[in-house]
Amino acid sequence: MKNFPRLVIAATQSGAGKTTIVSGILAALKKRGLKVQSYKVGPDYIDGGFHSLASGRAAHNLDSWLVGEKNLANIFFETFGDADIAIIEGVMGLFDGGRGGISSTAEIAKILNAPVFLVIDAKSMGTSAAAVALGFKNFDKDLNFAGVILNRIGSESHKKIICDALEKLNIKCFGAVKRNAEFFLPERHLGLVPTAENNFSEVIEKISVAVEKQINLDKLFEVAKNQMESLKDGKIESKISSFLTPHSSLLIAVAKDEAFNFYYEESLRELEKLGAEIIFFSPLKDKVLPEKISGLILGGGFPEMFAEQLEKNFSMRESIKNFAEKKLPIFAECGGYMYLMKSIENFSGKVFEMCGAIPNRSKMTDKLQMVGYVSATLTKNCIIGSVGDKIQAHEFHFSIEEKNLSEEKIFDCEKLRTGEKYFAGWANENILASYLHLHFVGCPSVAKNFVESCKKFREGNVTLHPVDAI
């Protein structure tokens, strides 16, 4: 039997300071000599970067919509490794998620039987903070509610007012972090500015010093160890079998730099399990695609923030367009989709030329165009599947694409929260691109089909799928 000490840091709502608190805890525990593994609930790509900076380890996402409950548990236990404790950061408010609470922090906490610590932004609140805590504690009796962590406390007297009220309600307070402008983490239209663009080490160091003094880390660790189940020790079988015999020459290039860095660690690992070798490159800095590749993945990110630099790298744009014309299998999500188009119009209205492998154009808007979980059905055969295949995905973007009414979209989509239906994405014989974000653990057939397409390309078979897919 093996133990997996674990705890969840949740919050009353977005912006309460979860990422700040979690980063401080991770860094403080690491300085104590502990091996700390972090996780992020939901589809967020950015917060995990702060986790990794603080812990020195890659963070992993836990999303029951994208991968399913069983795969989620597998990801957790397989990636825990030699860690002494797992710290799981929630998403939005404790009970917020998709329709019916799917992939909410509360749901993931119950799946993993992990104790929950609620972060409350106590700025401009006194005794009312205790009432908020009581409401969250009583909302779901099946949840292992351990206590609260107060954030943005103004003074010791402020802390005492709230802690006295919490004590009367028999709710434990595990710490109170004081307001400090030096803890500021910059944000923009999709959330925090990614760590790939800036070095936030100094800020995280300051946060960790405060957390060490103002949060009872010993008590947190004690709860994580004592309120857990013993689980079967041993390797957990992956839900994706090895469809292909590994081929060292099956290289898949993955764009990864300041402009493109939205990837799930376990998602890329599934491609490796299928025999692919991942090789990273930079559309911003490299002149051409890596040699001898059999496939290309362009993930999400912020191409709109680096549009000028991307445009100036003409040789890379031409390299990608040329490979697309040679029928190289290309899978692109959101920012990668925009990069494949003819151009990007940024927030200021300036237009920058992109790869031109897709005959559409993208335009940034001041309004959030889509955020949430999506159920998508393929409308035709393509490099990732066949007509009628269903995929669970997520969308989050401020941009819109040029409308082309004569073009049949590749996905028939339905928003999980509202039931609204729409068509999205673009595909031809060798390209699949859309605003959708997928997780290959949750859609193993997509990973298999993409790798199979790459294998066919490597072997010189340019007919990647039936003619009716074009």
Side-chain angles (χ1 to χ4, degrees), residues 73-340:
N74 282 350
I75 288 174
F76 178 80
F77 295 124
E78 286 179 343
T79 57
F80 187 95
D82 63 349
D84 297 306
I85 185 173
I87 308 294
I88 304 162
E89 179 186 348
V91 60
M92 299 184 289
L94 175 56
F95 302 104
D96 301 325
R99 189 167 60 193
I102 190 167
S103 204
S104 68
T105 305
E107 183 189 55
I108 275 64
K110 287 190 284 187
I111 290 173
L112 298 178
N113 190 32
V116 175
F117 296 82
L118 183 71
V119 174
I120 298 177
D121 182 354
K123 184 180 179 181
S124 303
M125 292 179 70
T127 303
S128 296
V132 170
L134 181 63
F136 274 81
K137 178 182 179 181
N138 291 338
F139 187 81
D140 186 346
K141 294 294 186 181
D142 294 329
L143 194 67
N144 186 351
F145 189 95
V148 304
I149 295 172
L150 304 176
N151 192 27
R152 300 191 179 106
I153 289 293
S155 63
E156 284 300 315
S157 61
H158 184 195
K159 172 185 173 181
K160 188 175 187 307
I161 289 170
I162 300 175
C163 287
D164 286 348
L166 288 169
E167 188 175 356
K168 292 178 181 178
L169 298 173
N170 198 29
I171 297 175
K172 295 180 180 179
C173 180
F174 288 82
V177 179
K178 292 183 178 179
R179 291 197 294 271
N180 190 329
E182 293 184 330
F183 296 170
F184 174 72
L185 298 176
E187 298 185 23
R188 62 178 176 223
H189 53 287
L190 293 183
L192 295 174
V193 174
T195 55
E197 297 181 36
N198 291 281
N199 187 347
F200 295 102
S201 298
E202 291 185 7
V203 178
I204 290 178
E205 171 61 22
K206 292 176 181 178
I207 296 170
S208 71
V209 171
V211 163
E212 179 69 51
K213 295 177 180 178
Q214 298 169 16
I215 293 180
N216 194 330
L217 297 178
D218 293 329
K219 286 292 184 182
L220 286 184
F221 198 22
E222 182 181 333
V223 172
K225 288 191 298 182
N226 294 340
Q227 296 188 28
M228 64 187 180
E229 290 181 340
S230 292
L231 296 153
K232 195 170 184 179
D233 189 7
K235 186 178 179 181
I236 299 175
E237 293 294 330
S238 170
K239 296 304 177 182
I240 296 184
S241 59
S242 189
F243 294 102
L244 296 175
T245 301
H247 298 282
S248 60
S249 59
L250 187 65
L251 299 179
I252 296 179
V254 176
K256 193 171 185 181
D257 55 20
E258 295 89 339
F260 304 97
N261 47 67
F262 287 4
Y263 300 102
Y264 301 123
E265 289 284 335
E266 292 306 299
S267 189
L268 293 180
R269 186 175 296 179
E270 292 305 323
L271 298 176
E272 294 175 332
K273 290 178 181 178
L274 292 167
E277 180 182 342
I278 302 298
I279 179 170
F280 294 110
F281 75 100
S282 171
L284 288 171
K285 301 167 187 174
D286 295 330
K287 295 302 180 183
V288 295
L289 287 173
E291 297 180 354
K292 299 180 180 180
I293 61 173
S294 301
L296 171 63
I297 294 179
L298 299 168
F302 293 97
E304 66 273 17
M305 306 305 294
F306 298 89
E308 183 175 1
Q309 191 174 345
L310 289 169
E311 181 186 57
K312 287 181 178 178
N313 194 352
F314 177 79
S315 62
M316 175 57 77
R317 292 193 288 115
E318 282 297 293
S319 178
I320 291 175
K321 185 177 181 181
N322 290 338
F323 267 92
E325 292 173 349
K326 292 176 182 177
K327 308 306 179 186
L328 178 78
I330 301 175
F331 177 78
E333 296 182 338
C334 205
Y337 182 29
M338 297 164 64
Y339 181 51
L340 282 181

Side-chain angles (χ1 to χ4, degrees), residues 317-386:
R317 292 193 288 115
E318 282 297 293
S319 178
I320 291 175
K321 185 177 181 181
N322 290 338
F323 267 92
E325 292 173 349
K326 292 176 182 177
K327 308 306 179 186
L328 178 78
I330 301 175
F331 177 78
E333 296 182 338
C334 205
Y337 182 29
M338 297 164 64
Y339 181 51
L340 282 181
M341 294 184 194
K342 289 183 176 180
S343 64
I344 292 176
E345 182 177 328
N346 68 9
F347 289 107
S348 301
K350 188 173 181 180
V351 177
F352 298 90
E353 295 303 309
M354 293 293 118
C355 296
I358 293 176
N360 292 354
R361 300 178 184 274
S362 66
K363 177 181 179 180
M364 300 306 299
T365 71
D366 294 329
K367 179 183 177 183
L368 180 62
Q369 297 297 318
M370 170 63 182
V371 59
Y373 293 123
V374 176
S375 177
T377 303
L378 286 174
T379 61
K380 52 185 177 180
N381 298 335
C382 62
I383 59 172
I384 68 166
S386 304

Side-chain angles (χ1 to χ4, degrees), residues 414-428:
E414 180 178 347
K415 295 181 181 180
L416 179 64
R417 186 177 293 275
T418 66
E420 178 186 344
K421 295 184 178 182
Y422 60 101
F423 292 96
W426 191 94
N428 66 5

